[in-house]
Amino acid sequence: MRKYQEMLKKNIAVAKGLEKADLVFKNARILNVFSEEITLADLAVNNGTIVGSGSYDGVEEVDLAGKYLVPGFIDAHMHIESSMVTPFELARAIVPTGTTTIIADPHEIVNAAGKKGLDYLLNATKQLPLTVFMMLPSSVPATPFETNGAGPFGAADMHPYLDHPRILGLGEVMCFPDVLSGAAEILDKLTLCQHMISDGHGPGLSGKPLQAYACCGIHSEHESTTFCEALEKLRAGFYILVREGSAAKNLDAIIRGLLKKNLPIDRFLFCTDDKHLDDIHQQGHIRWNIKQAIDLGLCPIKAIKMATINTARAYGLKKLGAIAPGYQADLVILSDLGTMQVEQVYQNGRLVDETLWEDQPDHQIDPQLLDSVHIKTLNPEKLRLKLASKNHVIGIVNGQIETCHLLESLPGKDGFFTPNATYNKLCVIERHGHSGNVGVAAIKGFGIQNGAIATTVAHDSHNIIVVGDNDADILLAVNHLAEIGGGYVVVGNHRIIGTVPLTLAGLISLDSGEVVQKKVASLILSAHQLGVAVGVDPFITLSFMALPVIPALRLTDLGLFDVEAFRLIRS
């Protein structure tokens, strides 16, 4: 307490101009998110805290010569695991693009590895030049219609984490049918976190079911794919997280609607949800959301507010999201508001440069996290799909993670489905050493010819998911994933073309971001050469085909799942 008081005394003296600040930005165009003004002034920073704007002197001075100074950007909802690299490597990729804070939901690794996975992420994010908050995963597993690695993660498992300073509340409540039916398990979790924040995940919820979902204290929603859906959820009191990631791209529709209706933006936030390194490298992170919104006609100041103070207020982050006295000195220097070209970033008052990335923190990894792929013996008989007059088929929707539920006549022989370039075979193989279940279905729109692609990244239970046009390549891909301990693999003409090992829980690589990015880019190119349409990310698209809480049709290790009816299809 005494140390804190001494810091306050020092900051007071600096703010009053009696002493020099640690750091002063001279001649800065400062964006004020409260007044929506841009003022030309000096900004004083001391002990990592903003202490005042006006005319100041500093021990260190940086002359911005009229460049813009804006608050560090905040990602309101994302999954670290979707980057497929360690938290250190993720921070190294996103902080230089202006993102200084993320709110992460660790349900991917908790589904695969339980508390060991959560503990790893909390430990690996505590000393980064990136502020990382987390939500407690609410839906592990997402439904009872799949087999995950760790089994249920219930209210009793959550309780020890409630006092952790970087735990904000309950992660995306994906099991909305359980909420609507008043199931005891989810009500226990909502009760446990009733004085904290609870994130939503209710794609397509409308009318009275939406009202019932909202009245349980769920306060945000990132699954709106149309403006009409976002508007109904806004009217029900939700914060609307405008998502623009690698797979789901909802920003255009929502921002256009927001502008057309001339709505206030105070309850609109930005998130990426799932964004891969290659996209981050090409576009940046949250700065891309901001730029896209500006390009659509949103005022730059309002777009930046959506990435800063709006999110800070929604999640109770009292010292983040603004440039004002008492706020953490998370600052982004821009040469121009329209292009959102980031020149420099300061996190907690420190310049983010190459020296911050020289030494990666040494975190102990539980050996069980490095041994997560255990499959039963596979043979072609386990991959067979019986023909009907018409079979249920998963139809891919380009640019979205939703699918179409098709009923179509499939090609076949001797009463069983024979895949081709139009109708590929999709399989989900339980990989956690439990049941050995295999789910099989037809999928339309992938377009693979003479090959297969497979991965252990299969939201959210993360079994092996594989797609191809022949059983030999499908089996080769699956067995190779087991050999390398999880990851990505592309097979063509009965040979391994390339792999990206993800040895930590089958989700995360221990390689550098540059190595992972290069390998993934090569595999994506190989997949396109097999027939996957250019513009479709084969692995991201594939990874969502097993997620049984996004409409309309999915495949789990237990079989085809009708999300809208919320039941397995028995045929």
Side-chain angles (χ1 to χ4, degrees):
M1 184 176 292
R2 178 171 294 179
K3 184 178 179 181
Y4 180 72
Q5 290 181 350
E6 290 300 318
M7 183 191 72
L8 288 180
K9 289 179 180 179
K10 174 72 172 178
N11 288 352
I12 290 168
V14 172
K16 292 169 68 176
L18 302 176
E19 297 183 27
K20 286 187 175 182
D22 293 338
L23 172 65
V24 171
F25 296 94
K26 307 289 286 187
N27 305 308
R29 295 186 187 275
I30 301 170
L31 190 151
N32 191 304
V33 295
F34 303 118
S35 64
E36 297 192 2
E37 297 175 295
I38 295 173
T39 57
L40 184 63
D42 301 337
L43 186 78
V45 174
N46 211 67
N47 292 312
T49 299
I50 298 165
V51 296
S53 63
S55 178
Y56 285 96
D57 297 317
V59 175
E60 178 186 355
E61 294 184 348
V62 178
D63 188 355
L64 294 189
K67 293 177 182 177
Y68 293 90
L69 201 57
V70 305
F73 309 141
I74 307 171
D75 191 333
H77 172 77
M78 58 92 69
H79 304 284
I80 293 172
E81 307 94 310
S82 292
S83 70
M84 300 186 299
V85 291
T86 63
F88 175 86
E89 291 293 330
L90 174 64
R92 197 160 70 91
I94 67 175
V95 176
T97 75
T99 301
T100 55
T101 300
I102 62 174
I103 301 170
D105 187 326
H107 71 217
E108 314 290 0
I109 199 167
V110 174
N111 263 291
K115 289 185 283 188
K116 287 182 172 61
L118 177 55
D119 291 341
Y120 163 76
L121 284 186
L122 283 171
N123 187 46
T125 55
K126 65 184 179 183
Q127 292 180 323
L128 297 174
L130 171 72
T131 303
V132 180
F133 295 100
M134 290 194 191
M135 310 298 285
L136 292 170
S138 68
S139 306
V140 177
T143 73
F145 305 104
E146 55 192 322
T147 307
N148 73 349
F153 185 77
D157 300 301
M158 295 178 180
H159 194 272
Y161 296 94
L162 293 183
D163 293 329
H164 193 287
R166 292 189 289 115
I167 294 289
L168 298 181
L170 193 63
E172 51 183 319
V173 182
M174 306 173 74
C175 51
F176 59 85
D178 289 347
V179 175
L180 299 180
S181 66
E185 185 175 355
I186 189 59
L187 294 188
D188 285 346
K189 297 171 186 176
L190 288 165
T191 301
L192 183 71
C193 298
Q194 61 181 301
H195 300 301
M196 304 174 79
I197 296 157
S198 294
D199 279 337
H201 182 289
L205 273 183
S206 181
K208 290 181 178 178
L210 177 64
Q211 303 297 309
Y213 188 68
C215 80
C216 294
I218 298 167
H219 94 312
S220 74
E221 174 57 49
H222 66 273
E223 287 293 339
S224 298
T225 59
T226 67
F227 176 70
C228 288
E229 182 178 358
L231 180 59
E232 183 179 5
K233 289 173 177 176
L234 176 69
R235 288 169 173 163
F238 290 93
Y239 284 96
I240 304 302
L241 278 56
V242 182
R243 175 175 58 185
E244 190 76 2
S246 291
K249 302 179 186 297
N250 312 132
L251 185 147
D252 186 280
I254 294 175
I255 296 298
R256 286 184 187 277
L258 187 156
L259 289 168
K260 186 176 181 179
K261 291 282 286 188
N262 194 28
L263 292 175
I265 57 94
D266 58 300
R267 295 183 76 83
F268 287 84
L269 327 173
F270 283 131
C271 77
T272 59
D273 201 0
D274 301 284
K275 190 157 187 173
H276 280 203
L277 285 182
D278 193 54
D279 288 332
I280 293 169
H281 178 73
Q282 293 181 39
Q283 304 166 347
H285 194 238
I286 287 295
R287 60 114 4 220
W288 182 248
N289 298 50
I290 302 170
K291 183 182 183 302
Q292 294 291 93
I294 292 171
D295 289 347
L296 289 169
L298 187 63
C299 165
I301 294 177
K302 293 184 184 295
I304 290 170
K305 286 184 68 172
M306 288 172 60
T308 56
I309 192 63
N310 288 11
T311 305
R313 284 172 169 168
Y315 286 88
L317 309 178
K318 295 181 179 179
K319 295 186 178 182
L320 298 177
I323 299 178
Y327 280 75
Q328 184 169 304
D330 291 353
L331 305 165
V332 180
I333 298 171
L334 306 169
S335 56
D336 178 74
L337 289 185
T339 61
M340 288 301 300
Q341 192 63 44
V342 175
E343 294 202 357
Q344 287 183 315
V345 177
Y346 285 76
Q347 198 271 342
N348 200 22
R350 297 177 298 170
L351 174 63
V352 178
D353 59 15
E354 287 303 315
T355 63
L356 284 181
W357 312 112
E358 289 175 353
D359 298 313
Q360 181 168 348
D362 183 20
H363 299 292
Q364 294 296 317
I365 300 175
D366 190 300
Q368 291 186 20
L369 293 176
L370 303 176
D371 182 25
S372 67
V373 182
H374 306 279
I375 63 172
K376 308 290 184 181
T377 301
L378 284 177
N379 55 53
E381 285 71 30
K382 290 187 176 182
L383 305 182
R384 294 194 303 183
L385 175 65
K386 286 184 179 181
L387 291 176
S389 57
K390 288 193 175 181
N391 284 79
H392 299 274
V393 176
I394 298 173
I396 291 175
V397 180
N398 288 340
Q400 300 294 340
I401 59 175
E402 293 185 344
T403 65
C404 296
H405 186 166
L406 308 175
L407 277 173
E408 302 196 0
S409 299
L410 296 177
K413 182 179 180 181
D414 299 327
F416 293 99
F417 169 48
T418 302
N420 58 23
T422 301
Y423 297 100
N424 286 168
K425 180 177 285 188
L426 182 71
C427 303
V428 175
I429 295 101
E430 191 274 316
R431 62 106 165 169
H432 304 292
H434 300 319
S435 65
N437 292 331
V438 178
V440 184
I443 186 167
K444 187 176 183 180
F446 237 101
I448 293 177
Q449 301 178 58
N450 300 315
I453 65 174
T455 176
T456 47
V457 180
H459 304 289
D460 281 334
S461 288
H462 297 293
N463 290 299
I464 290 175
I465 188 165
V466 57
V467 61
D469 74 336
N470 68 90
D471 288 350
D473 283 343
I474 287 173
L475 287 169
L476 178 58
V478 171
N479 288 325
H480 192 72
L481 278 182
E483 290 176 15
I484 66 173
Y488 284 1
V489 61
V490 173
V491 172
N493 292 309
H494 313 315
R495 65 181 183 88
I496 305 296
I497 294 176
T499 64
V500 179
L502 303 174
T503 51
L504 202 164
L507 303 174
I508 295 173
S509 172
L510 300 180
D511 287 329
S512 70
E514 290 85 356
V515 169
V516 172
Q517 185 179 335
K518 183 177 180 180
K519 288 182 176 180
V520 170
S522 176
L523 285 197
I524 290 173
L525 178 61
S526 297
H528 289 153
Q529 290 171 345
L530 290 176
V532 178
V534 174
V536 174
D537 187 308
F539 291 101
I540 294 175
T541 302
L542 182 60
S543 70
F544 281 102
M545 293 301 110
L547 182 56
V549 290
I550 301 288
L553 191 62
R554 303 284 155 165
L555 181 68
T556 77
D557 63 301
L558 299 181
L560 267 173
F561 188 75
D562 185 331
V563 180
E564 292 167 333
F566 216 69
R567 60 177 177 81
L568 289 165
I569 294 173
R570 303 295 185 186
S571 58

